[in-house]
């Protein structure tokens, strides 16, 4: 015999925040704010949302009790928090979170998509979590896209913001807010700077194939060459990890192969620093013999000799923007679901003109 009370409990477990929002005639973000009680919502709107939640038997779970939400937290999931640019992003997130009375929880995935999804799976059910920022690039595979799209829907159903920071969206209707930067535009400006100074044999030290950051910067490199009518010479393209050691080793390979480059564009400043070391070890001067340009404008770019010309990225601003979108989620159709920051070139002493 069926227990009516049991049936009601099953229905309550099945009700989602999306259904509550639809019943109340409000957006998902407004429904979330009204039920959370931590953001200003018009009293009539709040009453309508609460009535809809009651009618549907919506159970917010452990998040419903203020006593159990004494330490509201913004979580950050990143692939390697030892990286300087991720430290800057997290710092920006912490500034905004602290200003709103929130803690900041940070976890590293070691570039593993499986670990990333496992972390998100734990966070989506944590009563203290107000939202999650996923920071840094990703390996773009079908498994990653499918897993992340499903995870995004779970976050949306619970009314939790999921924000990508420094990572492109999934190019579908997944409910993910994106705070990104023009990675291709930054690379195009770097390579264009070299081309405008007469360089045509430009070597490219790039990161792993399939990694979103590396693919975006490679697209900018290719576009800049095309705009000057210079074909991509694959013999000048060296791929590897985004590290100083890789920059050093790949530059040694270029020199051993007598590639004849007059300039080198490194995907990031770490690779550029390794490149400078290899050139110096080979007895070559920068920029006298070979010009070098980097990307990111990390501290190391000002500590090398010569100081490195590079592309500046406002990492802390990206972090602050991501945190603000966790604390005040974007309304669908508001135009705030995607924010793209620009970059600019910082001219120092590592590039010379051939004219």
């Amino acid at each position: 015999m069926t227990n009516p009370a049991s049936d009601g409990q099953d229905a309550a477990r099945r009700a989602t925040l999306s259904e509550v929002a639809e019943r109340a005639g409000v957006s998902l973000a407004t429904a979330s704010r009204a039920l959370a009680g931590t953001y200003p919502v018009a009293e009539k709107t709040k009453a309508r949302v609460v009535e809809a939640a009651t009618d549907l038997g919506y159970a917010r779970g452990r998040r419903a009790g203020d006593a159990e939400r004494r330490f509201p937290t913004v979580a950050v999931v990143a692939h390697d928090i030892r990286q300087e640019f991720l430290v800057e992003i997290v710092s920006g997130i912490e500034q905004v979170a602290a200003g709103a009375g929130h803690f900041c929880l940070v976890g590293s995935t070691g570039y593993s998509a499986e670990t990333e999804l496992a972390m998100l799976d734990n966070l989506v059910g944590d009563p203290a979590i107000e939202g999650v920022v996923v920071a840094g690039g990703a390996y773009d595979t079908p498994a990653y896209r499918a897993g992340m799209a499903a995870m995004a829907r779970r976050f949306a159903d619970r009314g939790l913001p999921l924000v990508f920071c420094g990572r492109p969206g999934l190019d579908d209707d997944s409910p993910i807010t994106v705070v990104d930067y023009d990675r291709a535009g930054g690379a195009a400006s770097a390579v264009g700077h070299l081309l405008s100074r007469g360089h045509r044999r430009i070597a490219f030290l790039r990161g792993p194939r399939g990694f979103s950051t590396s693919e975006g910067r490679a697209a900018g490199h290719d576009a800049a060459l095309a705009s000057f009518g210079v074909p991509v010479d694959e013999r000048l393209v060296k791929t590897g990890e985004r590290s100083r050691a890789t920059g050093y080793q790949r530059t040694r390979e270029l020199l051993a192969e007598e590639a004849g480059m007059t300039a080198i564009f490194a995907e990031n400043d770490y690779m550029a620093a390794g490149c400078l070391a290899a050139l110096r070890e080979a007895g070559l001067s920068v920029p006298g013999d070979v010009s070098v340009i980097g990307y990111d404008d990390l501290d190391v770019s000002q500590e090398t000799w010569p100081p490195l010309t590079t592309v500046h990225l406002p990492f802390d601003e990206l972090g602050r923007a991501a945190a603000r979108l966790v604390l005040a989620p974007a309304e669908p159709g508001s135009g705030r679901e995607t924010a793209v920051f620009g970059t600019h070139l910082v001219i120092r002493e590592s590039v010379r003109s051939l004219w």
Side-chain angles (χ1 to χ4, degrees):
M1 183 174 180
T2 302
N3 184 335
S6 175
D7 284 348
Q9 290 169 358
D10 289 343
R13 283 195 291 272
R14 288 195 297 271
T16 68
L17 186 63
S18 297
E19 294 167 335
V20 173
E22 183 178 359
R23 172 71 69 90
V26 300
S27 70
L28 193 64
T30 297
S32 174
R33 294 173 188 173
L35 294 175
T38 54
Y39 303 98
V41 177
E43 287 301 322
K44 288 184 179 180
T45 302
K46 182 176 181 179
R48 197 161 70 248
V49 172
V50 171
E51 181 181 2
T54 301
D55 290 347
L56 291 171
Y58 173 72
R60 196 172 174 86
R62 294 181 297 162
R63 294 179 61 82
D66 286 342
E68 296 177 83
R69 298 174 64 251
R70 291 172 296 174
F71 305 110
T73 301
V74 175
V76 184
V77 176
H79 45 68
D80 184 356
I81 59 172
R82 295 172 299 177
Q83 299 286 334
E84 183 184 330
F85 74 94
L86 286 171
V87 171
E88 291 190 29
I89 287 176
V90 171
S91 177
I93 294 170
E94 285 183 326
Q95 290 172 26
V96 173
H102 287 54
F103 286 88
C104 193
L105 173 70
V106 183
S108 292
T109 67
Y111 291 90
S112 166
E114 292 79 8
T115 301
E116 183 173 279
L117 289 171
M119 285 185 175
L120 293 174
D121 181 58
N122 286 326
L123 293 168
V124 74
D126 191 311
I129 300 300
E130 295 294 318
V132 177
V133 178
V134 182
Y139 283 96
D140 191 1
T141 65
Y144 156 75
R145 284 180 171 268
M148 189 58 74
M151 187 62 66
R153 290 190 289 272
R154 289 180 59 194
F155 269 76
D157 283 345
R158 289 186 61 84
L160 291 174
L162 179 62
V163 180
F164 281 2
C165 184
R167 175 184 299 191
L170 300 181
D171 297 326
D172 59 14
D173 58 354
S174 297
I176 299 171
T177 302
V178 176
V179 177
D180 205 359
Y181 65 94
D182 186 3
R183 59 183 58 77
S189 69
V191 177
H193 179 67
L194 295 171
L195 290 163
S196 68
R197 278 150 182 75
H199 296 278
R200 295 297 182 268
R201 297 285 295 170
I202 302 171
F204 178 28
L205 307 180
R206 59 155 292 164
R209 305 282 178 179
F211 190 61
S212 60
T213 303
S214 302
E215 293 299 340
R217 296 183 184 189
H221 162 270
D222 294 355
L225 291 178
S227 70
F228 276 74
V230 179
V232 175
D233 184 345
E234 292 298 336
R235 294 171 298 178
L236 293 175
V237 179
K238 294 293 184 179
T239 302
E241 296 303 315
R242 307 176 72 241
S243 66
R244 186 183 188 281
T246 294
Y248 173 81
Q249 186 58 43
R250 296 298 180 265
T251 302
R252 284 175 56 91
E253 292 172 9
L254 286 165
L255 294 172
E257 294 164 7
E258 298 182 350
M261 66 279 183
T262 63
I264 299 175
F265 167 49
E267 179 183 296
N268 66 19
D269 292 340
Y270 295 127
M271 298 177 85
C275 169
L276 290 171
L279 292 171
R280 183 170 58 250
E281 184 180 273
L284 298 174
S285 72
V286 176
D289 296 310
V290 182
S291 293
V292 178
I293 194 165
Y295 199 125
D296 287 338
D297 195 20
L298 304 178
D299 287 346
V300 67
S301 67
Q302 299 182 63
E303 296 165 358
T304 60
W305 186 257
L308 188 66
T309 294
T310 186
V311 177
H312 176 79
L313 258 177
F315 291 114
D316 56 343
E317 292 182 32
L318 266 69
R320 289 196 292 270
R324 286 193 290 268
L325 286 167
V326 167
L327 300 174
E331 296 276 0
S334 66
R336 296 175 62 231
E337 299 96 332
T338 301
V340 179
F341 283 72
T343 63
H344 66 264
L345 199 62
V346 179
I347 307 296
R348 295 198 178 101
E349 300 172 33
S350 62
V351 175
R352 77 178 183 97
S353 175
L354 298 184
W355 299 125

